[in-house]
Amino acid sequence: MNKMVRPFFFTLMLILISGSVFAQNPLTNEKIEQKVDSVLALMTLEEKAGQLNQHNGSWDFTGPVPDGNEYAQTRAALLKNGGVGSLLNVTGAKATYEAQKLVVENSRLGIPLIFGFDVIHGFKTIFPIPLAEAASWDVKAVEQSARVAAIEASAAGVNWTFAPMVDVGRDARWGRVMEGSGEDPYLGTQMALARMQGFQTSDLSSYNSIMATGKHLAGYGFSESGRDYNTVDVGKHTLLNIILPPFEALAKNGVGTFMNSFNDLNGIPANGDTYLQRTLLKEDWGFEGFIISDWGSIRQMINHGYSKDLKQAAYHSITSGNDMDMESEAYQHHLVDLVESGEVDIKFVDEAVRRVLRMKFHLGLFDDPYKYSDETREANMIYTEEHRAIARDVAKRSIVLLKNENELLPISKSTPKIAVIGHLAADKDTPLGNWRGRGESESAVSLLEGIENAVGSDVEVTYAEGYTLAEGNGSFSQALNFPKDDGSGFDDAVSNAREADVVIMVVGEEGLQSGEGRSQTDISLKGRQLELFKLVQEVNDNIVTVVMAGRPIVEPELYENASSLLYAWHLGTEAGNAIADVLFGDYNPAAKLPMSIPRDVGQIPIYYNFRNPGRPTPGPGDAGSVFWSQFNDMPNSPQYIFGYGLSYTEFEYSDFSVTKNTMAMDDEVEVTVTVKNSGSVAGEEVVQFYIKDHFASAIRPVKELKGFEKIMLETGESKTVTFIVNWETLAFYAADEQFKAEPGMFSLMVGTNSNDVQTLELELVE
Ligand code: NOJ
């Protein structure tokens, strides 16, 4: 019977030619809608439920489904019956081809699978972790990184990535800050759009485009105390103005899917949240793609105490707008019953299936279900020299220069003797960071290798491990264990340092120390790293300290005592070469922190765009008073603030002006500033533009990023940068939850970071 129906189905598909795009919505296409309708009309309820079911690929498709593997057999049977709409974690041209064939050739309608995978910062050529890429403030570089990832992933059969993660992060204890773009919604939005464009391009049906996922809807980055999966309690104001803007931008610009989050938001599990999924995303923002649950998050509504069993969890999930079930088996086991018993209206199921089919058509899977499974492309397009060169370029753009007090940097390539110190300096695994796709363990260029590649043979480079870190490497799913370092590496490190002209000391955290399930209460340097740093400092003044980490590390003594300091994150495959590019001046660093570095965990959450409390400072004549919003034992400010980062050259800002000081609601003004490279080497500067709304129906932050431009300036060169301000620049979700600009006074600020700014005033009038 199967085989009799399929020809009709495909004939139907052939008759329907691709059509015009409806006006506004990037995912609405008239011809695709007709095709979706025609497929939907053919489907049984069981087949519909099957399309909404995503499973993990847990067996090797390069051969026949193994005998005796009950799990695999069940999955294979499901696939053959059209009981699965998508697989995750099946990669490789051959494996995806085999799985696709099983479905297309055996299921009644032959509806192709989508293959999802976490392509977070590269597929096999690994790029900097997303937080590091955000530090580049370089939208072109970030788009290119996602483009390379898509080219590689699509050559290995993957057509859907669970990225970008757009959760705003204000708490470095939360291990997943490495996966986002930091603390600011505007920067986060620009990064999200760049990544989406790199993955999807403007033609999602192309053989090397992959569908993107905005995740995690919503509030996941605000988990209480930074503990992963924990409760989230945030007010509407923060939700609408801080957390949701990147999601809204993705929805309105054609992202294919969203993933909901594990957390509950103000008492409702996000997976069952009708307001987030239906009201906001699908109705208000007009999102036409589909929502996937997170791994097991439908089932986890039982643990939350929201759904009493898996059946009710399926009910809560489908009715609140979650379309596809990742690994809960809730839809698989209960959707049919729920519809047949009348508990769930078929319209919910139809809507979800319609969305899934729509995206399958957009991907062009009905035309050619195998187009991503091309072994020749897989052999030629992955981990190429070209991709590695791009990874190196993006990596060097992500390195933040925090200190260069004695201008020790850049280091001369004819320095006679360089001592490289630190376990992490020779570590070929840590730079890959967490969520490393199909990057091979131990495959990164270590910093030691990068230094050796950069300097000639007449430079003597010594290496001492110095301190130890976690035992083994940890694995994605295991907690790290940090046994006490016996200090046996200290002597070598100190004696190498004593004899060297320059010391390069690497400290930080291992590649899998941040990421999912990697929350920590203590985010200082683990083990005896700081102790060794101090010993090394006693014998040599010329130390360049390099921090490799997946999050802001809290270590005031290091930051205060180091004279030359680079924040080098986890930079991917080409990490060592990229850091060497910066160390030896082949590249002049220009990155800026996307997340403030706290002085102490006690300051967390800490972020530049806070709202002023009623007692923000001690009043005049109030010196010594305690009755203002402060810590008695520490300044309020972070160690390094959002947007901070130095260069090997100097930039002078001048002629800051605005075309008018009063602006009508339907008008716009231009804000200009001239930036001059007054130093001795060429360099890039990220010119940052902030605003402050003085009085509003709901309190506005003391500063909000509203624009930035990265410019290249030769020595002595000046450029004028212009930012356009209109009502939308000044608008926010006000006390009545409407997006609008309220008349009144605004400050317009430009500068080199969120602290060092020049200010002008603008009045907005009706
Ligand atoms: C759980 C993570 O929260 C999510 O981001 C990821 O995409 C899925 N697992 C699939 O690996």
Side-chain angles (χ1 to χ4, degrees), residues 19-46:
S20 62
V21 176
F22 281 141
Q24 293 96 355
N25 200 307
L27 293 180
T28 309
N29 175 304
E30 199 180 347
K31 292 293 175 200
I32 285 184
E33 294 310 303
Q34 289 172 14
K35 293 177 188 181
V36 169
D37 282 344
S38 64
V39 179
L40 201 58
L42 299 173
M43 293 174 79
T44 63
L45 178 55
E46 285 75 8

Side-chain angles (χ1 to χ4, degrees), residues 599-621:
R599 295 173 196 270
D600 191 281
V601 277
Q603 292 181 311
I604 292 173
I606 185 163
Y607 44 95
Y608 83 98
N609 49 353
F610 59 88
R611 302 196 292 263
N612 255 343
R615 293 181 174 191
T617 50

Side-chain angles (χ1 to χ4, degrees), residues 660-704:
K660 281 183 267 184
N661 294 105
T662 304
M663 183 180 97
M665 206 54 90
D666 57 356
D667 203 358
E668 63 178 35
V669 296
E670 283 183 12
V671 176
T672 53
V673 66
T674 301
V675 184
K676 179 178 179 188
N677 180 348
S678 55
S680 53
V681 284
E684 292 153 302
E685 166 72 332
V686 179
V687 182
Q688 302 169 33
F689 173 56
Y690 297 87
I691 65 153
K692 174 174 164 53
D693 184 344
H694 290 200
F695 297 97
S697 61
I699 313 164
R700 305 304 301 135
V702 295
K703 255 171 219 153
E704 289 177 88

Side-chain angles (χ1 to χ4, degrees), residues 118-122 126 129-130 165 176 178-179 215-216 432-437 476 511-512 514-516:
D118 289 286
V119 185
I120 306 295
H121 53 113
I126 301 303
I129 55 168
M165 188 194 94
R176 293 194 85 166
M178 53 84 39
E179 213 182 321
K215 71 185 188 186
H216 304 86
L432 300 175
N434 210 326
W435 289 117
R436 52 188 53 187
F476 177 72
L512 297 175
S514 46
E516 186 178 349

Side-chain angles (χ1 to χ4, degrees), residues 67-81:
D67 279 330
N69 180 341
E70 203 181 307
Y71 180 75
Q73 294 289 1
T74 321
R75 294 288 157 94
L78 259 185
L79 284 167
K80 288 183 183 172
N81 287 340

Side-chain angles (χ1 to χ4, degrees), residues 54 56 88-89 117-120 161-163 165 167 176 179 213 215-216 220 228-229 259-262 292-296 326 435 476 516:
Q54 183 188 58
N56 189 37
L88 81 150
N89 296 335
F117 188 55
D118 289 286
V119 185
I120 306 295
T161 175
F162 306 126
M165 188 194 94
D167 296 311
R176 293 194 85 166
E179 213 182 321
T213 308
K215 71 185 188 186
H216 304 86
Y220 186 36
D228 210 354
Y229 319 123
M259 184 185 291
N260 57 38
S261 52
F262 290 125
I292 175 131
S293 78
D294 204 341
W295 182 293
M326 179 195 288
W435 289 117
F476 177 72
E516 186 178 349

Side-chain angles (χ1 to χ4, degrees), residues 588-646:
N588 181 0
K592 308 274 187 175
L593 290 175
M595 199 172 171
S596 303
I597 299 180
R599 295 173 196 270
D600 191 281
V601 277
Q603 292 181 311
I604 292 173
I606 185 163
Y607 44 95
Y608 83 98
N609 49 353
F610 59 88
R611 302 196 292 263
N612 255 343
R615 293 181 174 191
T617 50
D622 229 5
S625 155
V626 294
F627 300 116
W628 63 285
S629 182
Q630 48 135 357
F631 298 109
N632 281 200
D633 56 356
M634 183 163 294
N636 286 358
S637 61
Q639 190 90 46
Y640 290 105
I641 202 159
F642 174 81
Y644 186 80
L646 302 172

Side-chain angles (χ1 to χ4, degrees), residues 21 26-27 143 147 196-206 208-210 253-254 362:
V21 176
L27 293 180
E143 181 181 332
R147 188 82 282 278
M196 181 193 85
Q197 184 63 24
F199 290 134
Q200 297 196 165
T201 72
S202 39
D203 178 12
L204 195 48
S205 70
S206 162
N208 65 12
S209 301
I210 62 176
N253 285 280
H362 275 287

